[in-house]
Amino acid sequence: MSIAVAAVSGQPGLYTPSMRRRVIAGTTIGNALEFFDFTVFTFLMLVIGPLFFPAASGYGQLLLTTATFGVGFLMRPVGGMLIGSYADRHGRRAAMTLTLWLMGLGCGLIALAPTYAQMGIAGPVIMVLARLIQGFAAGGEVGASTTLLVEHAPPSRRGFYSSWQFGSQSLGVMLGALVVALLTAALTPEQMKDWGWRVPFVIGILTVPVGAYIRRNLEETLEPQPAPGAARARSDHQPLRRVLAGHKGAVAKGILLVIGGMVCAQIIGFYMPAYANKELGLPATSTLSASVVLGAIGFVAAPFVGLLADRVGRKRVIFWSRAATVAALLPCFQWLVSAPSSARLMTVIALLAILLALQTAPVITMLPELFPKAVRTTGMSVVYGLGISVFGGFAQFFVTWLLHVTRNPMAPAWYLMVTVTLSTVVLFWIQDRTGHDIDNQEA
């Protein structure tokens, strides 16, 4: 049997080092491009809000814009279920190419969306539609790309390989914040309002063909489907039905596990620019620079965290990093709020970014390990999509509302502490499969 055939037949021991490096590079680059497209919206909320919701107050604009950001997360479970099922039927590579083109379509709609002044309510409607498409694509992307990484990895290095999923997300955040920061510094407020805010989405469109070309040449890990005569076997291969019917416990535990990290990522990574600017009065350029720092730390730290999780176990790294996160949140926010400055913001973001990487990279590894290979992408996609859709996607909305109601700048810290604590308890009911063979589980 040739190496190429062995790769397709799902025998990870026969993947060559060059194949594995290519999968890491292809997945990382493509995933970073998708998360760049998905996340630049949040860095431009303060510009987009007045253009698409001019009748609302400043608070109302921010609330409506964060809600528009959040609707993208409502489609993540749907995208996860449908694209995950597609990946378990037709291959991880095909699903990853599909999500990339869908993300490009969403970017195109945002880049061309007319403002409220130009076409009235049609502008906000197009913006919401674009976010729904992007959310659908992102929901399928994470499951397919993580599964491909895990299935290419030797059992002793699954944490390292899957850590590139989180690393690539961080890279996308870093690039998104960097592009918006450069535009903010180079253009006048009027230019940003007139056309500058559209530039990152145009960049997103142009990068899609590059990512699609890279992914087209990745090695598939899903075994070939049964021969055409095996009608019963084909009819039985309904990944979504099998996940919901036979793996409900794994789905429930996975959702609870993922909530803590997703809320931290949304608040620390995406909400902090608006929070520091609106609540603390820091300039937009410094808050965007903080997001660049967060993304850079996540990208650099992720593979080292993956190696650590492979060495000492996923659960141990997750538990202690989350305990440290809960202990650090209140002092960090109190220190920042007491005397807001760019230096303090950078310090807080850097510390929380390290803790975020420590807890998130091992979680992303544990999710596909919960499910057998035949339904792995669907299972992980369902868990990730449902876990992030409400608690993660609407975290910014909830915190904006809490800040308005309580008038307490510490509201984000309290919200994070509660969700991280609740999400950590489920660790006691999850088996740590570090170093174990995960392809012999019953489907």
Side-chain angles (χ1 to χ4, degrees), residues 67-433:
T68 304
F69 176 81
V71 296
F73 286 84
L74 286 179
M75 289 300 290
R76 282 204 173 193
V78 181
M81 292 176 189
L82 296 182
I83 297 178
S85 181
Y86 177 80
D88 281 332
R89 289 169 178 263
H90 302 289
R92 290 69 165 109
R93 184 178 59 188
M96 290 163 62
T97 303
L98 173 62
T99 62
L100 202 57
W101 286 110
L102 286 173
M103 189 65 73
L105 174 61
C107 268
L109 288 174
I110 294 176
L112 299 174
T115 64
Y116 190 90
Q118 292 170 331
M119 288 191 65
I121 194 66
V125 169
I126 292 173
M127 186 68 73
V128 171
L129 175 62
R131 292 300 296 173
L132 291 174
I133 294 172
Q134 287 190 321
F136 183 87
E141 164 67 19
V142 174
S145 59
T146 308
T147 299
L148 190 72
L149 286 167
V150 163
E151 290 176 349
H152 267 275
S156 62
R157 302 195 74 193
R158 282 197 303 267
F160 171 74
Y161 276 68
S162 62
S163 70
W164 288 98
Q165 166 61 248
F166 175 72
S168 60
Q169 291 184 28
S170 300
L171 180 61
V173 172
M174 181 188 74
L175 294 175
L178 185 60
V179 168
V180 175
L182 291 174
L183 286 171
T184 303
L187 302 179
T188 65
E190 291 73 24
Q191 289 173 323
M192 279 296 293
K193 179 180 176 181
D194 289 342
W195 56 270
W197 68 270
R198 299 181 188 271
V199 172
F201 301 105
V202 174
I203 294 174
I205 299 170
L206 297 177
T207 59
V208 168
V210 177
Y213 173 78
I214 293 171
R215 290 187 164 185
R216 189 175 61 191
N217 297 300
L218 299 181
E219 286 77 20
E220 181 57 65
T221 58
L222 184 67
E223 292 91 342
Q225 293 298 304
R232 177 169 180 172
R234 286 201 311 275
S235 67
D236 285 345
H237 190 59
Q238 300 177 24
L240 182 57
R241 179 183 63 79
R242 292 166 69 182
V243 166
L244 298 179
H247 302 278
K248 292 188 288 290
V251 169
K253 288 183 284 190
I255 290 172
L256 289 172
L257 178 65
V258 82
I259 286 172
M262 292 305 101
V263 170
C264 281
Q266 293 305 311
I267 299 300
I268 298 169
F270 301 143
Y271 186 73
M272 288 299 275
Y275 170 80
N277 182 259
K278 281 283 188 179
E279 299 294 327
L280 306 181
L282 296 179
T285 51
S286 67
T287 58
L288 286 168
S289 298
S291 295
V292 173
V293 169
L294 180 136
I297 289 175
F299 178 62
V300 173
F304 295 101
V305 175
L307 291 172
L308 178 65
D310 281 332
R311 185 176 181 84
V312 305
R314 329 278 191 233
K315 290 175 68 171
R316 187 175 300 177
V317 176
I318 296 169
F319 179 84
W320 289 111
S321 61
R322 286 188 170 180
T325 299
V326 172
L329 280 169
L330 210 53
C332 282
F333 272 81
Q334 285 175 336
W335 185 62
L336 177 61
V337 170
S338 64
S341 69
S342 297
R344 288 197 176 198
L345 177 64
M346 294 289 186
T347 303
V348 169
I349 287 289
L351 173 61
L352 295 180
I354 294 170
L355 295 174
L356 178 64
L358 281 166
Q359 66 162 302
T360 305
V363 167
I364 289 178
T365 308
M366 290 190 82
L367 295 182
E369 290 178 335
L370 292 173
F371 301 95
K373 188 168 189 176
V375 296
R376 183 167 294 143
T377 307
T378 305
M380 176 173 179
S381 298
V382 168
V383 165
Y384 188 86
L386 290 175
I388 197 174
S389 60
V390 175
F391 292 93
F394 283 92
Q396 299 185 50
F397 181 87
F398 292 149
V399 170
T400 300
W401 176 78
L402 282 172
L403 285 166
H404 181 73
V405 170
T406 64
R407 306 289 181 184
N408 185 348
M410 302 302 296
W414 289 111
Y415 180 75
L416 283 172
M417 290 171 68
V418 171
T419 52
V420 171
T421 300
L422 293 176
S423 180
T424 304
V425 174
V426 74
L427 275 175
F428 295 105
W429 288 273
I430 295 179
Q431 180 183 351
D432 192 333
R433 300 183 186 275

Side-chain angles (χ1 to χ4, degrees), residues 46-61:
L46 297 179
V47 177
I48 291 174
L51 295 175
F52 288 85
F53 308 104
S57 63
Y59 160 71
Q61 288 172 358

